[in-house]
Amino acid sequence: MARTKANPDLLDTSIMIKATVLAGVVFGILLIIVGLIRNYLAIAPGSFGDQVHTGVNLLLCWLSVTSAVKTMNNMRKGIPTWRLLTAGFIVPLVGVVLYQLVFLIVSAFKDTKDANATGFKSVLFFMAIGMVVAGVALINLRVKNRKKGAVIEMAFVISVALLFVLLMK
């Protein structure tokens, strides 16, 4: 019986779905744990503890997106770049939606507005951060020359920061 070759596009899609959903669920669970710690410590909105909470969430986003992109690249070396960039916004989307659903349910049972139950803007914010992180991870993975990669990475980060400042005016 003759063996048929696997469809490479189907394989790429399968790897992308598995890696992004798994990383997104792990990201969501970590966000939930950090949110529960925030509730336990009764951190007030706008305080230093709130800023630390945001920083921890951004660190978790960076770790989750980078791990998903690197996992996809290691599982299939020739995976298209657009699939790796797509993982950059799917991972935070899955994670933050899971996080918001849990705290929305918690606030419904407590009949109060939970500080962790944020809106759609936080989903977009984390998706944008995920795209930037995926871009940086992609530069580190695909550019072989370390010096050239560092220059491209710095130019990318500076251009994104300038774009952010110009759009926020």
Side-chain angles (χ1 to χ4, degrees):
M1 188 180 257
R3 265 182 104 172
T4 59
K5 284 193 168 189
N7 184 355
D9 192 44
L10 189 62
L11 186 60
D12 290 345
T13 304
S14 173
I15 288 171
M16 185 178 84
I17 290 171
K18 289 175 185 174
T20 54
V21 170
L22 181 63
V25 169
V26 169
F27 177 50
I29 291 170
L30 291 172
L31 287 177
I32 291 166
I33 291 169
V34 171
L36 290 173
I37 292 170
R38 174 191 174 158
N39 285 352
Y40 179 75
L41 297 176
I43 295 173
S47 66
F48 178 71
D50 189 40
Q51 294 171 358
V52 170
H53 177 252
T54 302
V56 169
N57 286 350
L58 290 173
L59 175 68
L60 293 174
C61 180
W62 173 66
L63 290 173
S64 300
V65 171
T66 304
S67 67
V69 169
K70 287 184 177 184
T71 299
M72 289 170 57
N73 189 62
N74 288 339
M75 289 178 74
R76 184 139 164 89
K77 292 290 183 193
I79 194 163
T81 303
W82 70 268
R83 289 194 189 272
L84 297 174
L85 287 174
T86 304
F89 71 86
I90 293 177
V91 171
L93 175 69
V94 172
V96 174
V97 167
L98 178 66
Y99 168 75
Q100 289 186 356
L101 282 175
V102 167
F103 282 105
L104 188 69
I105 293 169
V106 166
S107 65
F109 281 116
K110 290 185 352 185
D111 290 329
T112 59
K113 171 97 171 84
D114 197 312
N116 291 311
T118 57
F120 183 66
K121 287 184 179 180
S122 68
V123 175
L124 292 177
F125 174 73
F126 275 102
M127 286 173 63
I129 294 297
M131 285 295 293
V132 172
V133 169
V136 170
L138 196 59
I139 290 168
N140 288 327
L141 286 173
R142 298 282 168 103
V143 177
K144 299 299 179 201
N145 187 342
R146 297 191 111 202
K147 288 182 182 179
K148 183 191 262 186
V151 169
I152 293 171
E153 183 179 338
M154 189 169 303
F156 178 71
V157 170
I158 289 172
S159 63
V160 168
L162 287 174
L163 184 65
F164 179 76
V165 168
L166 292 175
L167 290 176
M168 289 295 125
K169 283 188 175 187

